[in-house]
Amino acid sequence: MSPLLVALLLAFAAAAAAAAAEETQPYLVALRRESIPVRRKGKVVSHKTSYSGSISAGTPPQDFSVVFDTGSGHVILPAVDCENETCKLHRRYNASASTSATPVNADGTEVVDDEPCDQVTIGFGTGEVTGEFIKDVVCLTGLVPSAASSSSAAVSAEAAAAPAAFERLCTEVTVVQAVEMSAQPFQAFEFDGILGLGLSSLALSEEFSFFRWASASGLLPAPRFAFFLAAEDSGGSGGGGGEASEMALGGINPERALGPLSWAPVARPELGYWQVEIRAVRVQGVELDVCRSGDCRGVVDTGASHLGVPAPYDEDLEALLTREAGEGTDCHSIEAPELEIEIPGLNLTLRPENYMRSLPLRGDIQVKSAIGIVMSDAGKEPSSARAPLLSSSASSSSAAAAAPPA
């Protein structure tokens, strides 16, 4: 398991409440890894990656696949009334077919017949949805306690193959049923919607926060979750042969940890993000200027597939990490400096196999995006702005060894 995956696991476990629940046995949710190529000048330069799992909504249950997104705060599903091309590519939620569904407004009041209902537009880093509100039962499906098997990877694979044979965790929550969905990123990926796991202050209100309601239900061993995001999947679009990705709900899966947990406090939780203070960023032991101001924070976001660095520091960091390479070189094994990110109680050390893309780029091809992510006010999700990113690559790649132009 790479240090970046360990970092994600530790960061999420650290972000979610008291250490007393460290030995509890969580439920495991199997995640499916899906990678989409990013092309520049006809060449595949990187991949965008998503990790999705199964849920159901309504009574009787309607099945969907969703990204468990720590960078957003709402449960979002395409509505059966959504007729654009993006929605038609996915399974759509039919509130009229659910006996437990109640149309509501943003403040939780029921929608009066023949009166217009409230709508909301929610922006993400690479797209947006417009939706209306339905209070309904939402269930995580295919759950199994981690103690039920000595091999959590085997449990996850079995749960994914036969979810009906395992437990469901259900709670009532207000769902955003999307009546419009942008082409990106929803057309590119197979997942149907999003289940936001941000703090409740990131949602319009606590009524929209699945994790808040699941924690308050008393059904979880502890109010926490952790992610294991494998670089290669055990099957499906990941190509097979790797480890199974999973989310642990209600604690951590100790079989996924290389050692004792380190804990870091959530910085400015009123904003709703699982963000931690970043005290320093170093390349080969030399501290950079990017976080010297003392107000540097980083969001740990399972819905993003890049490492984000604010301008103008991205150019300095890219220059320090980039190495010359010949055509066909495996950049994961090239000699390059270590990237160190210091957070309270832990130094995250990334090596070339963690931050490099696998193959070199021609010198005239850029991977990084001109559109970055900015933090918005509390209660609102990320919006787009011009702020260059270090990389738009999948999972851990954030720099590239450069080959001479062809």
Side-chain angles (χ1 to χ4, degrees):
M1 181 169 62
S2 75
L4 182 60
L5 302 181
V6 177
L8 283 169
L9 175 63
L10 295 180
F12 282 115
E22 190 169 318
E23 297 182 357
T24 60
Q25 296 297 326
Y27 292 98
L28 301 182
V29 181
L31 300 180
R32 176 181 180 269
R33 181 179 183 272
E34 182 184 1
S35 289
I36 302 298
V38 176
R39 291 180 169 85
R40 299 285 189 271
K41 299 184 178 181
K43 299 286 187 180
V44 176
V45 297
S46 64
H47 290 78
K48 295 180 180 180
T49 300
S50 71
Y51 294 83
S52 57
S54 299
I55 69 167
S56 67
T59 307
Q62 303 171 42
D63 295 328
F64 303 95
S65 63
V66 296
V67 169
F68 296 99
D69 179 16
T70 59
S72 61
H74 302 91
V75 179
I76 301 174
L77 296 172
V80 71
D81 296 331
C82 180
E83 292 295 334
N84 71 13
E85 291 302 314
T86 302
C87 288
K88 289 180 179 180
L89 293 173
H90 301 283
R91 290 173 289 187
R92 290 176 287 175
Y93 168 66
N94 187 349
S96 299
S98 174
T99 59
S100 52
T102 302
V104 295
N105 290 306
D107 60 2
T109 59
E110 291 190 22
V111 175
V112 178
D113 290 343
D114 299 325
E115 289 192 7
C117 60
D118 291 343
Q119 284 193 342
V120 65
T121 296
I122 300 174
F124 299 93
T126 55
E128 66 178 25
V129 300
T130 298
E132 301 168 352
F133 311 117
I134 299 287
K135 181 173 285 189
D136 207 344
V137 175
V138 173
C139 302
L140 300 185
T141 59
L143 300 181
V144 61
S146 60
S149 171
S150 60
S151 170
S152 58
V155 168
S156 295
E158 187 179 2
F166 293 86
E167 297 187 40
R168 304 164 71 89
L169 176 68
C170 301
T171 189
E172 189 178 57
V173 68
T174 301
V175 175
V176 177
Q177 58 166 356
V179 295
E180 293 181 20
M181 301 179 78
S182 60
Q184 293 298 326
F186 300 104
Q187 281 191 13
F189 289 96
E190 293 183 9
F191 64 80
D192 303 306
I194 295 170
L195 192 148
L197 288 172
L199 297 169
S200 57
S201 52
L202 188 57
L204 289 171
S205 73
E206 290 186 344
E207 302 292 324
F208 292 84
S209 175
F210 179 88
F211 186 60
R212 187 261 183 192
W213 283 106
S215 300
S217 70
L219 298 175
L220 298 182
R224 79 175 50 170
F225 54 85
F227 282 81
F228 177 82
L229 305 180
E232 292 185 6
D233 209 347
S234 58
S237 63
E243 297 179 280
S245 299
E246 67 183 30
M247 177 179 69
L249 189 64
I252 68 160
N253 181 1
E255 296 183 15
R256 295 303 194 188
L258 293 181
L261 293 181
S262 297
W263 300 87
V266 175
R268 298 193 66 185
E270 71 276 8
L271 295 180
Y273 298 99
W274 296 108
Q275 61 179 330
V276 293
E277 176 190 355
I278 299 179
R279 292 180 172 175
V281 176
R282 303 181 185 91
V283 173
Q284 207 63 26
V286 178
E287 185 174 350
L288 307 184
D289 291 335
V290 60
C291 286
R292 288 185 185 273
S293 62
D295 60 354
C296 195
R297 301 183 301 275
V299 175
V300 187
D301 182 2
T302 56
S305 54
H306 52 250
L307 296 174
V309 179
Y313 305 106
D314 61 315
E315 295 183 359
D316 295 336
L317 184 56
E318 184 178 26
L320 289 170
L321 298 180
T322 298
R323 290 294 181 269
E324 294 291 331
E327 196 77 29
T329 300
D330 181 2
C331 297
H332 287 169
S333 60
I334 201 168
E335 186 175 341
E338 292 183 345
L339 172 62
E340 183 181 335
I341 303 172
E342 180 184 345
I343 65 175
L346 181 67
N347 286 343
L348 305 177
T349 301
L350 307 182
R351 298 175 177 85
E353 63 265 27
N354 308 128
Y355 65 75
M356 286 281 187
R357 62 186 306 278
S358 59
L359 295 176
L361 292 175
R362 296 202 328 251
D364 61 337
I365 297 179
Q366 294 292 318
V367 180
K368 65 183 180 180
S369 171
I371 302 297
I373 310 299
V374 296
M375 297 291 293
S376 59
D377 295 333
K380 298 180 181 178
E381 292 175 352
S383 58
S384 296
R386 294 194 63 84
L389 295 177
L390 178 63
S391 170
S392 60
S393 70
S395 60
S396 61
S397 300
S398 60

